[in-house]
Amino acid sequence: MLRSLPKLSPLLSSARTTNIPRFLANSLRFVSSAQTITRTKTSTGRIAMTTRAPIRPMSSSTVSSITAEDHVQQPKLLKSTDDDHDGVIVEMDQPMDAATFVLILRSSISHWKQLGKKGVWIKLPIHLASLVEPLVKEGFWYHHAEPKYLMLVYWIPETANTIPVNATHRVGIGAFVMNEKREVLVVQENSGHFRGSGVWKFPTGVVDQEEDICVAAVREVKEETGVSNLVALPIKSFLYFPSEYLISRQSHKSFFDKSDLFFVCMMRPLSSDIQKQRLEIEASRWMPFEEYSAQPFVQKHDLLKYISDVCSAKIDGRYSGYSAVSTSSSFSDQKYYLYLNAGALKSSL
């Protein structure tokens, strides 16, 4: 083998590499380029060959990449937004297994605690209902539920919890609709409290979310009787408005322990055709106001009698009621309404 060493040098030339297998040629090129071959003669007369790889300085980019890899990976956190009261809001969307979610949740709460956050709101859509149990086990509790999501909350600091409770009131409406013949629109219900009582009453209902009170009154009248094209008198006049100084109706533990506010809105119909709703309404008709007021049920109950008396005063021009005055606020671009006695206010000014 030692005798063949002198013959290696021709093999390293580009002209001769085509005559040997490709893998051998590549290996020889690697040896010649990456190593320095040193021949030394030993005391016995034999030739010893050693190789030494060249030492190259490590680039700064290589150092930085290795350093970054050596760093401890930061824990994942839940994506959140700040609320106006030193809390955070998390809107979950992507599926996640319970074990992974708990680890990320604990890291997030620790992070929020360091930032001085207080309340945590986590909004879970229906398709992530499997995360409810892990959240409850971590100390979260139900706040409210809607058709498409469930809201859970958590209080971080060891102080009194100041997270506001869920909505406490439900808003109901009654529609006092009178035509030019001094007749009022009344219905008999085939479901609910007045079912089978024979009592004729105003169309009533519940205000939907993001719905103005008078809009709700118009909707309920149309749904129950088919009467549409209603005009508020004069400008969304209310016969009752909750106030300690006025006749009003506010009750508690009315609907799943919620309090109830009730408004009566007076309107004039532009058409008198009735098409009653068969699901909830047994009968509907136009009734002379005096006949409505004379019902024993109305005269027996103070609440209904007060409403009847106020309606009568409104018809005769002895009661002005309240009007919804559109206004604005620097807190939001949304419309706001103040319900007040605009005529009395104008006179006082």
Side-chain angles (χ1 to χ4, degrees):
M1 178 178 178
L2 293 176
R3 295 176 182 177
S4 65
L5 284 175
K7 296 181 181 181
L8 287 175
S9 57
L11 293 175
L12 298 179
S13 63
S14 59
R16 298 290 300 274
T17 54
T18 56
N19 297 326
I20 62 174
R22 181 174 298 177
F23 74 91
L24 179 59
N26 291 337
S27 300
L28 293 174
R29 289 194 187 96
F30 173 78
V31 171
S32 63
S33 61
Q35 297 178 338
T36 301
I37 301 175
T38 305
R39 298 185 182 88
T40 58
K41 194 171 185 179
T42 64
S43 59
T44 59
R46 295 183 178 182
I47 298 175
M49 183 177 67
T50 59
T51 60
R52 182 179 60 185
I55 300 175
R56 297 178 181 177
M58 186 177 293
S59 65
S60 59
S61 61
T62 305
V63 174
S64 61
S65 63
I66 294 177
T67 303
E69 292 176 357
D70 291 340
H71 285 173
V72 178
Q73 185 177 4
Q74 295 296 327
K76 291 183 179 180
L77 301 175
L78 294 174
K79 185 178 180 180
S80 65
T81 56
D82 295 339
D83 64 16
D84 295 331
H85 304 281
D86 296 327
V88 293
I89 302 172
V90 178
E91 295 196 23
M92 300 293 297
D93 183 37
Q94 298 300 323
M96 190 180 305
D97 67 89
T100 302
F101 174 68
V102 169
L103 292 176
I104 297 177
L105 176 65
R106 291 174 179 174
S107 298
S108 301
I109 291 178
S110 178
H111 173 70
W112 294 326
K113 185 176 182 179
Q114 293 178 0
L115 295 179
K117 299 300 181 180
K118 298 178 180 177
V120 180
W121 304 76
I122 293 189
K123 182 178 179 181
L124 281 183
I126 291 179
H127 68 274
L128 296 182
S130 60
L131 298 181
V132 171
E133 183 178 358
L135 280 169
V136 173
K137 288 183 176 180
E138 291 298 313
F140 281 74
W141 66 90
Y142 299 132
H143 187 269
H144 67 272
E146 294 292 340
K148 294 184 179 181
Y149 75 87
L150 176 68
M151 184 74 77
L152 294 98
V153 291
Y154 180 84
W155 186 251
I156 297 178
E158 296 179 0
T159 58
N161 170 24
T162 60
I163 293 179
V165 298
N166 185 28
T168 58
H169 288 68
R170 183 183 70 164
V171 179
I173 55 93
F176 175 46
V177 184
M178 175 174 282
N179 61 21
E180 296 177 351
K181 299 178 181 179
R182 200 180 171 92
E183 295 174 331
V184 293
L185 182 63
V186 292
V187 298
Q188 287 182 337
E189 296 180 340
N190 62 15
S191 64
H193 181 74
F194 293 99
R195 177 176 53 188
S197 65
V199 173
W200 293 95
K201 57 181 284 293
F202 297 154
T204 57
V206 178
V207 178
D208 289 338
Q209 185 172 322
E210 298 183 0
E211 185 179 41
D212 290 336
I213 296 172
C214 273
V215 173
V218 172
R219 174 181 54 78
E220 287 292 344
V221 170
K222 184 176 181 179
E223 288 178 358
E224 294 187 2
T225 67
V227 176
S228 57
N229 297 326
L230 299 168
V231 178
L233 295 175
I235 303 176
K236 297 184 180 179
S237 293
F238 286 89
L239 304 184
Y240 290 93
F241 184 78
S243 172
E244 57 183 314
Y245 305 108
L246 300 173
I247 299 175
S248 63
R249 197 208 76 173
Q250 177 175 345
S251 60
H252 303 288
K253 294 186 178 296
S254 172
F255 183 77
F256 289 103
D257 291 333
K258 299 297 182 182
S259 298
D260 186 82
L261 300 174
F262 188 73
F263 296 79
V264 177
C265 183
M266 183 176 183
M267 296 176 288
R268 177 172 58 86
L270 298 181
S271 64
S272 298
D273 295 335
I274 295 177
Q275 296 177 353
K276 73 180 180 70
Q277 181 203 80
R278 297 184 181 276
L279 181 63
E280 298 177 347
I281 304 302
E282 178 67 25
S284 56
R285 57 172 289 200
W286 292 99
M287 175 182 287
F289 178 74
E290 289 74 13
E291 183 179 346
Y292 163 79
S293 300
Q295 292 183 96
F297 189 83
V298 173
Q299 294 297 318
K300 179 181 177 181
H301 292 81
D302 286 344
L303 172 64
L304 297 179
K305 191 174 186 306
Y306 270 122
I307 293 177
S308 177
D309 291 342
V310 173
C311 289
S312 177
K314 175 65 178 176
I315 295 171
D316 297 335
R318 295 179 285 108
Y319 185 82
S320 59
Y322 287 79
S323 298
V325 179
S326 178
T327 184
S328 60
S329 171
S330 59
F331 300 107
S332 172
D333 294 333
Q334 298 180 356
K335 282 186 177 182
Y336 290 89
Y337 290 99
L338 287 176
Y339 300 99
L340 50 87
N341 190 323
L345 178 63
K346 184 177 180 180
S347 299
S348 65
L349 296 177

